[in-house]
């Protein structure tokens, strides 16, 4: 098990290094300056920085959108848990009742 953990750390480190190298290469190939007009302000920045900011903003919007779904699922799970507890309590109470013989 320790070998698997050690190997996964090495693979993860190598993947992180490859992503960093690819990002640095991307930034060096897209060093041109672009003009951004953001309705309320305008600025000049490198194309790589503008794309990185757009990517991060998209990740944040996607994460916030997924939180709404997760909260809905948590609410359903809490409701189901309350219903299960109520049913378990009902079953416990029914088991305590004396059994009547027919006739």
């Amino acid at each position: 098990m320790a070998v698997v953990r050690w190997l996964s750390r090495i693979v993860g480190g190598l993947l992180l290094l490859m992503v960093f190298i690819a990002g640095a290469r991307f930034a060096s190939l897209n060093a041109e300056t672009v003009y951004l007009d953001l309705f309320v302000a305008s600025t000049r920045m490198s194309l790589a920085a503008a794309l990185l900011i757009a990517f991060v903003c998209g990740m944040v919007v996607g994460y916030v959108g997924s939180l709404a779904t997760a909260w809905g699922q948590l609410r359903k799970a809490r409701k189901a848990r309350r219903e299960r507890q109520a049913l378990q309590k009902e079953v416990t109470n029914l088991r305590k009742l004396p059994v009547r013989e027919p006739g």
Side-chain angles (χ1 to χ4, degrees):
M1 197 55 119
V3 174
V4 172
R5 187 177 305 133
W6 178 76
L7 189 59
S8 67
R9 285 184 182 175
I10 288 178
V11 169
L14 288 174
L15 285 174
L16 188 61
L17 180 64
M18 288 173 37
V19 167
F20 179 75
I21 290 171
R25 179 74 174 141
F26 177 78
S28 69
L29 291 174
N30 294 294
E32 301 90 29
T33 302
V34 293
Y35 178 77
L36 293 177
D37 186 7
L38 304 171
F39 299 113
V40 294
S42 58
T43 184
R44 291 186 182 275
M45 65 176 54
S46 72
L47 178 60
L51 290 173
L52 179 65
I53 290 170
F55 179 72
V56 169
C57 288
M59 284 178 34
V60 169
V61 168
Y63 180 73
V64 170
S66 70
L67 282 179
T69 303
W71 283 335
Q73 294 297 321
L74 285 173
R75 188 177 49 227
K76 284 181 182 178
R78 274 189 242 115
K79 182 180 176 185
R81 190 176 308 119
R82 282 192 304 267
E83 288 176 0
R84 181 181 51 88
Q85 288 172 346
L87 289 172
Q88 283 178 339
K89 187 175 181 180
E90 183 178 351
V91 167
T92 302
N93 289 336
L94 288 172
R95 286 182 179 161
K96 290 180 183 178
L97 291 175
V99 177
R100 290 187 293 173
E101 294 293 325

